């Protein structure tokens, strides 16, 4: 789904968006184009770590709303991204063990919005998504989150594996939701924890999954093989909540 109100086209418009500090989620540039304005845009994009997609003119024409893209189209994030460091500070300020949701390959904006909404209600301190192969903070995500996007920060990271490694050094454990794992009721999911959720189609990538300390499955007795990613995240999140509450008693 395309959020046309967040799509900007044309070289000068995109340059000014970068220079004004707007967060660009995705940048599409005509493959092979290397004139002055385009090189300026590419420099600005690299400063911010923005993902650059070099595409054919046919792809730009398909994305364009105005028909005057001049070889450049960008999507602006609907909301500002947070940082992992701020999430850790929030947990510390609340005197709570960190609880993060890490999403691997979740490309559906409705799923992302629903996950942010549930993360907020479950008391998670933030959601972490990768820069590639993932939905950004679009208007669709904002609507699906029912306003939770204003309260639960979302951090966009270049390397999910490295983030997990860095957080492990700070005492966090990681559990990956997967149908081939140990039943979630048999695992200790208390303490500082990161819950990793992959897409319904491809699941969690191998490298991310290998970095997790536990693999947790949800007991299922139906006739289909899996749950919607946002539903699975909700069930696993509230098992974490349940165990935390039981430990306090």
């Amino acid at each position: 789904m395309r959020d046309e109100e967040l799509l900007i086209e044309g070289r000068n418009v995109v340059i000014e968006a970068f220079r004004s500090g707007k967060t660009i989620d995705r940048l599409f540039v005509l493959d092979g184009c290397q004139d002055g304005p385009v090189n300026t845009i590419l420099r600005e994009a690299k400063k911010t770590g923005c993902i650059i997609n070099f595409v054919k003119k046919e792809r730009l024409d398909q994305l364009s709303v105005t028909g005057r893209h001049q070889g450049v189209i960008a999507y602006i994030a609907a909301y500002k991204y947070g940082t992992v460091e701020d999430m850790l500070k929030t947990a510390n300020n609340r005197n709570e063990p960190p609880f993060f949701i890490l999403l691997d390959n979740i490309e559906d904006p409705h799923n992302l919005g629903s996950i942010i909404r549930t993360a907020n209600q479950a008391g998670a301190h933030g959601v972490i998504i990768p820069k590639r192969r993932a939905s950004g903070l679009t208007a669709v995500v904002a609507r699906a989150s029912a306003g939770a996007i204003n309260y639960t920060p979302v951090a966009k990271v270049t390397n999910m594996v490295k983030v997990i490694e860095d957080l492990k050094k700070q005492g966090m454990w990681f559990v990956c939701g997967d149908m081939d794992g140990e039943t979630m009721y048999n695992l200790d999911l208390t303490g500082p924890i990161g819950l990793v959720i992959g897409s319904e189609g491809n699941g969690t990538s191998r490298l991310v999954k290998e970095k997790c300390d536990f693999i947790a499955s949800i007991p299922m007795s139906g006739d289909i093989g899996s749950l919607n990613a946002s539903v699975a995240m909700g069930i696993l999140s509230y098992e974490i909540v349940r165990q935390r509450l039981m430990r306090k008693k």
Side-chain angles (χ1 to χ4, degrees), residues 16-216:
E16 290 307 317
F18 274 115
R19 289 177 173 172
S20 66
K22 298 287 187 184
T23 301
I24 305 295
D25 254 341
R26 289 174 290 164
L27 176 66
F28 294 86
V29 178
L30 180 63
D31 193 18
C33 186
Q34 294 183 339
D35 61 18
V38 169
N39 284 335
T40 298
I41 289 169
L42 294 176
R43 283 197 303 272
E44 294 294 331
K46 289 172 183 176
K47 288 179 187 176
T48 65
C50 173
I51 297 299
I52 305 168
N53 301 276
F54 294 99
V55 297
K56 301 294 185 183
K57 182 177 181 298
E58 291 77 13
R59 176 59 172 154
L60 290 171
D61 291 342
Q62 181 185 41
L63 293 171
S64 177
V65 176
T66 67
R68 300 186 295 274
H69 53 72
Q70 298 177 308
V72 182
I73 291 177
Y75 284 83
I76 298 177
Y79 285 79
K80 184 178 180 181
Y81 289 97
T83 67
V84 176
E85 290 74 19
D86 286 342
M87 295 176 192
L88 288 168
K89 289 178 183 177
T90 298
N92 183 61
N93 291 339
R94 294 179 184 173
N95 198 27
E96 297 171 345
F99 176 20
F100 298 163
I101 309 297
L102 294 85
L103 306 180
D104 194 32
N105 299 322
I106 302 294
E107 298 182 358
D108 185 337
H110 294 93
N111 264 345
L112 177 56
S114 295
I115 286 169
I116 294 170
R117 182 178 186 176
T118 302
N120 178 264
Q121 290 297 316
H125 301 105
V127 175
I128 302 172
I129 63 175
K131 283 188 175 181
R132 293 187 180 274
R133 298 183 303 279
S135 171
L137 297 185
T138 67
V140 173
V141 172
R143 287 193 293 271
S145 80
I149 198 172
N150 295 293
Y151 305 100
T152 299
V154 178
K156 200 171 193 181
V157 300
T158 302
N159 189 325
M160 189 72 78
V161 170
K162 186 177 186 305
V163 169
I164 292 174
E165 290 174 342
D166 290 344
L167 289 173
K168 278 189 173 185
K169 293 175 183 176
Q170 300 189 55
M172 288 190 69
W173 295 80
F174 290 86
V175 58
C176 175
D178 190 281
M179 59 190 299
D180 295 326
E182 176 75 16
T183 301
M184 62 183 186
Y185 302 126
N186 296 335
L187 297 172
D188 182 354
L189 303 178
T190 57
I193 196 164
L195 171 60
V196 179
I197 300 291
S199 68
E200 296 140 56
N202 299 318
T204 305
S205 63
R206 178 182 60 83
L207 290 176
V208 171
K209 190 174 179 179
E210 287 176 353
K211 289 296 178 181
C212 292
D213 302 288
F214 306 111
I215 308 296

